[in-house]
Every structure is written in C-alpha cells, then in structure tokens.
Amino acid sequence: MKLIFAIIDNDDNAAVTSALTRENFSVTKLSTTGGFLSTGNTTLLIGAEEARVEQAESIIQQYSKARTRKPTSDTSLGKGLADSGIPEEIPVGGATVFVLSIDKMSKY
Ligand code: 2BA
C-alpha cells in the first residue's frame, strides 16, 4: 500500500479529482498554502495499492497544468523584498507528487 500526496493548483482540483474518482481511487482533499507564494493550493491524499500508483500519477499528470502566477504583496516571497527584484511571474506546477510507503491502512 502506498500513500500519494499530490500538491496541485486549485484550478486543476475539480478535473484531477473527478478523473481519479472515475477510476475508483479514493481521494481526500486538503486546502493547503504554498510556502513560497502564500497562495492557496490543494493537496490530495490518495491511498492506493502499489500496482495502481502509476495509473494515479498519470491521471494527476494529465490534468495538472503548468502555469505562472504573479506574486502579490501578501506572498511571503514579497515580504521585505520590495527593492530586490521580485520576478513578475513565478512558474507553478503542474503537480508536485510524493509517494510514501505505508505499513498499514485500516478502516474501523
Ligand atoms: P509555493 O511554495 O507557493 O511555490 C510556488 C512556486 O514558486 C513553485 O512552483 C516554484 O516554481 C517557486 N518556488 C517555490 N519555492 C521556491 C524557492 N525557494 N526559490 C525559488 N522559487 C521557488 P512548484 O515547484 O510547482 O510548487 C507548487 C507548490 O507545490 C508549492 O507552492 C508548494 O506548496 C508545493 N511544493 C513544491 N515543492 C515542494 C516540496 N519539495 N516540498 C513541499 N511542498 C512543495
């Protein structure tokens, strides 16, 4: 059994989640915040048999787009850096995916 953490853009959330659930993956969505931009993103938790991890990753990859975001004065990137040449556009995504081995999964 594996646990997939997939950090995706909020704009890809609906497409990625519905494609995963259509293929019978169980998904938990967490509202998260990127440390660099301090803007919202979505983290998906997916518990899956090892044999299905590649399929889940390929769905996540298919529906996650690379895009750019403008940093705002609210982002941690901008704090205290007003004169230090903050880039106008920051590349974000597609998805950042971590796959962890888990010892046990139970449902009670
Ligand atoms: P944020 O931390 O808000 O980062 C947004 C984008 O800013 C990143 O896109 C990357 O292009 C840039 N960035 C982040 N940290 C940077 C740094 N220290 N120096 C220069 N540029 C930096 P992505 O790499 O696609 O990441 C999108 C989101 O995925 C991140 O949002 C964060 O929430 C998560 N993430 C990415 N890599 C991670 C990691 N190694 N561990 C934990 N979370 C990660």
Side-chain angles (χ1 to χ4, degrees), residues 24-97:
N24 288 320
F25 287 99
S26 288
V27 180
T28 295
K29 299 197 273 187
L30 306 175
S31 293
T32 45
T33 303
F36 196 64
L37 289 177
S38 289
T39 53
N41 52 29
T42 300
T43 299
L44 305 179
L45 259 61
I46 307 148
E49 294 300 330
E50 189 163 359
R52 298 199 70 207
V53 168
E54 235 175 78
Q55 184 190 4
E57 284 191 271
S58 126
I59 291 169
I60 293 163
Q61 185 180 13
Q62 184 180 353
Y63 290 97
S64 297
K65 297 188 180 67
R67 46 175 66 81
T68 59
R69 296 282 185 214
K70 288 186 196 305
T72 69
S73 55
D74 291 337
T75 66
S76 55
L77 168 66
K79 297 250 159 66
L81 296 175
D83 298 322
S84 57
I86 302 163
E88 281 187 17
E89 299 278 348
I90 305 289
V92 181
T96 299
V97 177

Side-chain angles (χ1 to χ4, degrees), residues 12-31:
D12 297 327
N13 169 13
V16 174
T17 307
S18 66
L20 286 167
T21 51
R22 246 192 334 266
E23 292 298 326
N24 288 320
F25 287 99
S26 288
V27 180
T28 295
K29 299 197 273 187
L30 306 175
S31 293

